Amino acid sequence: MGILACRLPQPILRRLANVPVNTDGEEMAPEIALLMQMTEKADDYSDLDPVRAREVIAAECRTFADRMPPFAIQEELRLPGGLQATRYRAGSASRGLLLFFHGGGFVVHSRADYDSPAKLLALKAGVDVLSVEYRLAPEHPFPAPHDDALTAWDYAVEHAAQWGLDPHRIVVAGDSAGANIAAVLCQQLRGREVQPFLQVLMYPVVDSALTVQRPSHREFADCPALTAKQIKWFSNHYLPAGTDMTDPRVNPLLGNLDGLPPAVVSVAGFDSLRDEALEYAAGLLENGVPTRVIRESGLVHGYIQFTALSRTSRAATERIAAAIAEAVSPDGLASTLGTYRL
């Protein structure tokens, strides 16, 4: 049974898939359940070396990717220090700039792997997306991605005006490890004259060292979307021996959360990282940061990459885009702050 089966009508999917229910009573989306069953039978990339793992994962991304229409702008950019990025604009106009960092445990993935998700966010939110190719471990371990994020931020602020965009309306976003980079960046930029307008954290890694075993870590340790074994593989490659595990760049939960930009935090109901993400959102709220949590009860870690196969994942990604579009619209953020909550 191939992955195209995930596109079958819901009643048929329910007969084909063993649909799990988590301890909160949430039911996994049937097409995701079927995808997880197939993933469980496939080879595990964490049995490979990072170079080979990247090749395998890139091939999967090409299979799962949505087919997008031609874009008005898709330009390859070279940033200081040799970093590369791609800027996307769907149409003739743009409401703002989204600085995006892809996921992949700081070890795998590239901006090419995220071409489709980046375009979908640009299209549905009506913004430019600057997708950054930050350096990966183990060739470039911690804290290289965070250094690259600061470089990318400075580049975005410097070039926003020439792209016809307001540097004071830059949204910082990412998923998984990329969300960690986005969260840390917001902490590092505290006190700068130009601050992020909004931070969008999709199923973020906010405790890279896994200093606390939370209930979701135990409940979903064997979920094929992100297993405990894979998390350990990522950490072993990313965090060199002797790394200070209390460094807020490793564990943003230990950082100063006061005065940070408003946040949108998306969590998946069947994700090992769910509870640490909810903990981070709660910490933001406790520190007076307007925070909206979007709980995608039927989804798993990495859902933004499954939009071609999963209607549920597509709808979840479009909710993120809608939240960004609302925020960057005239007076949009100010008018919706009262609705931001845990």
Side-chain angles (χ1 to χ4, degrees):
M1 181 167 50
I3 58 173
L4 291 179
C6 297
R7 298 175 178 170
L8 292 169
Q10 292 284 308
I12 297 175
L13 285 169
R14 288 186 173 278
R15 290 198 294 270
L16 293 175
N18 178 22
V19 177
V21 177
N22 65 21
T23 55
D24 289 338
E26 297 168 327
E27 185 179 274
M28 187 180 287
E31 74 276 16
I32 295 295
L34 186 60
L35 180 61
M36 291 301 99
Q37 288 174 209
M38 290 184 280
T39 303
E40 195 169 24
K41 298 173 183 176
D43 294 335
D44 186 343
Y45 60 79
S46 65
D47 291 325
L48 306 173
D49 67 82
V51 173
R52 178 59 183 148
R54 290 168 196 156
E55 294 171 351
V56 169
I57 288 172
E60 291 177 352
C61 289
R62 289 191 292 271
T63 301
F64 297 158
D66 259 323
R67 302 299 180 259
M68 304 296 293
F71 268 43
I73 296 174
Q74 181 172 340
E75 62 173 335
E76 303 304 313
L77 302 170
R78 184 168 292 276
L79 282 56
L83 297 181
Q84 294 181 312
T86 304
R87 181 168 74 99
Y88 303 93
R89 179 181 292 182
S92 59
S94 174
R95 299 191 187 104
L97 177 61
L98 177 69
L99 181 63
F100 182 78
F101 302 96
H102 65 75
F106 309 99
V107 177
V108 300
H109 281 315
S110 66
R111 73 190 193 284
D113 294 347
Y114 272 72
D115 180 76
S116 176
K119 284 182 173 179
L120 185 58
L121 290 172
L123 178 66
K124 295 298 182 179
V127 296
D128 281 25
V129 170
L130 185 64
S131 182
V132 179
E133 190 81 60
Y134 59 88
R135 291 171 294 169
L136 298 177
E139 297 90 341
H140 304 282
F142 172 86
H146 301 297
D147 296 338
D148 293 348
L150 286 168
T151 298
W153 170 261
D154 290 340
Y155 184 90
V157 170
E158 181 182 347
H159 289 79
Q162 74 181 55
W163 297 333
L165 304 170
D166 183 352
H168 294 276
R169 297 179 75 83
I170 299 176
V171 178
V172 173
D175 77 313
S176 191
N180 171 283
I181 295 170
V184 169
L185 179 61
C186 289
Q187 293 186 21
Q188 290 181 311
L189 293 173
R190 189 193 325 273
R192 291 260 193 121
E193 180 181 353
V194 181
Q195 297 279 320
F197 184 69
L198 177 73
Q199 55 180 317
V200 178
L201 313 177
M202 291 169 267
Y203 38 90
V205 180
V206 285
D207 183 2
S208 302
L210 206 63
T211 56
V212 177
Q213 275 283 329
R214 298 168 177 86
S216 62
H217 294 144
R218 293 186 288 271
E219 182 175 0
F220 306 116
D222 296 321
C223 179
L226 182 66
T227 66
K229 175 174 174 284
Q230 290 164 349
I231 291 174
K232 184 177 180 180
W233 184 81
F234 286 131
S235 295
N236 288 343
H237 286 302
Y238 175 56
L239 299 174
T243 300
D244 179 4
M245 299 306 179
T246 66
D247 188 320
R249 293 171 298 173
V250 175
N251 186 345
L253 282 163
L254 299 179
N256 180 3
L257 305 186
D258 181 56
L260 293 179
V264 174
V265 181
S266 176
V267 300
F270 292 79
D271 180 13
S272 291
L273 306 187
R274 183 196 65 198
D275 291 352
E276 64 186 75
L278 291 172
E279 189 177 331
Y280 194 73
L284 290 171
L285 281 168
E286 288 167 5
N287 282 273
V289 178
T291 303
R292 176 183 177 186
V293 172
I294 304 175
R295 182 155 177 155
E296 302 295 352
S297 60
L299 291 178
V300 295
H301 193 84
Y303 71 73
I304 194 174
Q305 293 184 295
F306 304 147
T307 55
L309 302 176
S310 165
R311 301 177 186 89
T312 314
S313 296
R314 173 81 182 222
T317 304
E318 290 185 356
R319 272 188 284 276
I320 289 287
I324 295 168
E326 181 181 22
V328 299
S329 64
D331 300 322
L333 187 58
S335 68
T336 58
L337 289 185
T339 70
Y340 278 44
R341 63 192 184 279
L342 182 63

